[in-house]
Amino acid sequence: MSHGLSKFFKQYAIIIVLIALIIVFAILAPAFIRINNVMNIFRQISMMSIVAVGFTFVLIAGGLDLSVGSQIAIINVSIPLMITNAGIHPILAVFIGLAITTAIGFFNGYVITKTGVPPLIATLAMQTALRGLDYIITRGYPIYGIPDYLKVIGQGNIFGIIPVPGVIMVAIIIFGIILLNKTYIGRHFYALGSNTEATRLAGINIHFTRTLSYTLLGFLTGIAGIVMVTRVGSGQPNIATGFEMNVLTACVLGGVSVSGGKGTIPGAIIGAAIIGVLNNGMSIVGANDYWQQVITGIVLLIVVVFDSLSQRNRRS
């Protein structure tokens, strides 16, 4: 009986944590469970969840990308800059911005697979370069010029209550689940992250597979960036600072292994929901941003240590 109970808690621990957090914040601040705030959380976690889907692809395939926050920042300033300074049509500017982040994702994957540079180093370098470029082209000032009809993407509601970003998020989640569980690409991601050499000997193109995971992440990061710039309504050079750590925390918290070969999209999304509930709940009860950062960092450390110990136990 105790073994069965232990297995149940291990399998559903993350859902239990999410429910417990909701109950605690509902008791501390009744406004937390009002429908407007629930929809606000839904809107807030949409961008993190969209990127978390792509991040899950990369982690499962044995990679890592610390440049997603800077990618969002670069698309955040590129779109309004193209509209106001270059006179490019807003719709075309959105597609060009999406192409930019997709190309960055491809470049990250190509460099990592062809040179053997550790993903941590390669994407950290990309993060730093993109953030610096972000400030160079804006000189540190916000850029305006997003037309109102584009703002519907980030600010609009369907039926007056369901956030448009939430609908986009659900569509991306469905796409991610189908890709991982119903296609050979998903199987190749899992195989690559589990055993690179065995995957190569099985005839799978490991360079293409790993590069594809980063390219998909770049594409989905671009979608999240479009949602963010249309939500804010302007290009902010300092936006999404530390965003990659929240996404990484959400994925690992949801059971996606930093060692590769293990994880699910639903788990990553529940992890994102926990981060969103935690941040929103702490704001409502009056905790400042610094405490939110402290707690997020502690959560990440605990989960990574737990994942590392679990990997070691499986190997022994």
Side-chain angles (χ1 to χ4, degrees):
M1 181 70 178
S2 60
H3 175 72
L5 190 63
S6 174
K7 185 178 179 181
F8 173 83
F9 277 110
K10 185 176 181 181
Q11 187 173 359
Y12 297 102
I14 186 171
I15 298 176
I16 294 170
V17 169
L18 177 59
I19 294 172
L21 280 174
I22 292 172
I23 292 173
V24 168
F25 286 125
I27 293 172
L28 294 176
F32 176 79
I33 56 173
R34 289 177 183 166
I35 188 65
N36 287 342
N37 190 60
V38 172
M39 290 299 104
N40 186 40
I41 295 174
F42 200 44
R43 191 186 299 273
Q44 288 172 346
I45 69 169
S46 61
M47 290 159 286
M48 189 193 312
S49 298
I50 290 169
V51 178
V53 171
F55 216 95
T56 299
F57 296 156
V58 169
L59 286 175
I60 287 175
L64 179 69
D65 193 341
L66 297 182
S67 69
V68 291
S70 295
Q71 289 183 44
I72 285 180
I74 206 73
I75 194 175
N76 207 260
V77 299
S78 296
I79 291 176
L81 195 65
M82 284 187 282
I83 294 171
T84 56
N85 287 23
I88 296 174
H89 191 280
I91 300 296
L92 180 58
V94 165
F95 281 105
I96 293 174
L98 190 57
I100 289 172
T101 58
T102 305
I104 292 170
F106 171 80
F107 181 80
N108 282 340
Y110 185 84
V111 169
I112 290 167
T113 55
K114 292 299 183 180
T115 67
V117 175
L120 174 68
I121 303 302
T123 59
L124 184 61
M126 179 61 75
Q127 176 201 72
T128 306
L130 289 177
R131 189 64 71 172
L133 179 62
D134 195 41
Y135 280 97
I136 288 172
I137 62 180
T138 64
R139 299 180 182 178
Y141 295 103
I143 302 175
Y144 301 94
I146 300 294
D148 289 340
Y149 66 85
L150 275 187
K151 293 178 183 177
V152 173
I153 298 173
Q155 302 175 11
N157 294 300
I158 297 176
F159 304 122
I161 189 170
I162 303 173
V164 172
V167 176
I168 297 172
M169 174 188 74
V170 171
I172 296 299
I173 291 170
I174 294 172
F175 160 75
I177 291 173
I178 292 173
L179 183 71
L180 269 187
N181 300 316
K182 302 296 182 181
T183 71
Y184 73 90
I185 293 173
R187 292 191 292 272
H188 289 181
F189 285 164
Y190 280 109
L192 179 59
S194 299
N195 192 317
T196 302
E197 185 60 20
T199 303
R200 185 184 66 80
L201 293 175
I204 297 172
N205 188 330
I206 60 174
H207 297 303
F208 170 80
T209 302
R210 179 159 289 135
T211 302
L212 179 61
S213 70
Y214 281 95
T215 304
L216 287 170
L217 174 56
F219 175 75
L220 295 180
T221 301
I223 292 177
I226 292 166
V227 172
M228 188 170 288
V229 70
T230 54
R231 181 185 178 191
V232 177
S234 62
Q236 303 290 334
N238 63 343
I239 205 162
T241 302
F243 181 83
E244 57 280 336
M245 299 313 297
N246 281 334
V247 176
L248 176 61
T249 303
C251 290
V252 178
L253 188 60
V256 184
S257 176
V258 291
S259 302
K262 176 189 171 189
T264 65
I265 298 295
I269 301 307
I270 295 173
I274 288 177
I275 299 298
V277 165
L278 192 61
N279 290 339
N280 181 273
M282 291 182 67
S283 295
I284 287 181
V285 299
N288 61 40
D289 291 342
Y290 303 119
W291 276 111
Q292 293 178 31
Q293 292 177 25
V294 169
I295 291 176
T296 301
I298 292 173
V299 168
L300 176 60
L301 177 62
I302 291 173
V303 174
V304 170
V305 168
F306 179 78
D307 176 68
S308 179
L309 293 175
S310 298
Q311 293 285 340
R312 185 184 302 174
N313 290 337
R314 276 196 293 269
R315 287 193 295 265
S316 61

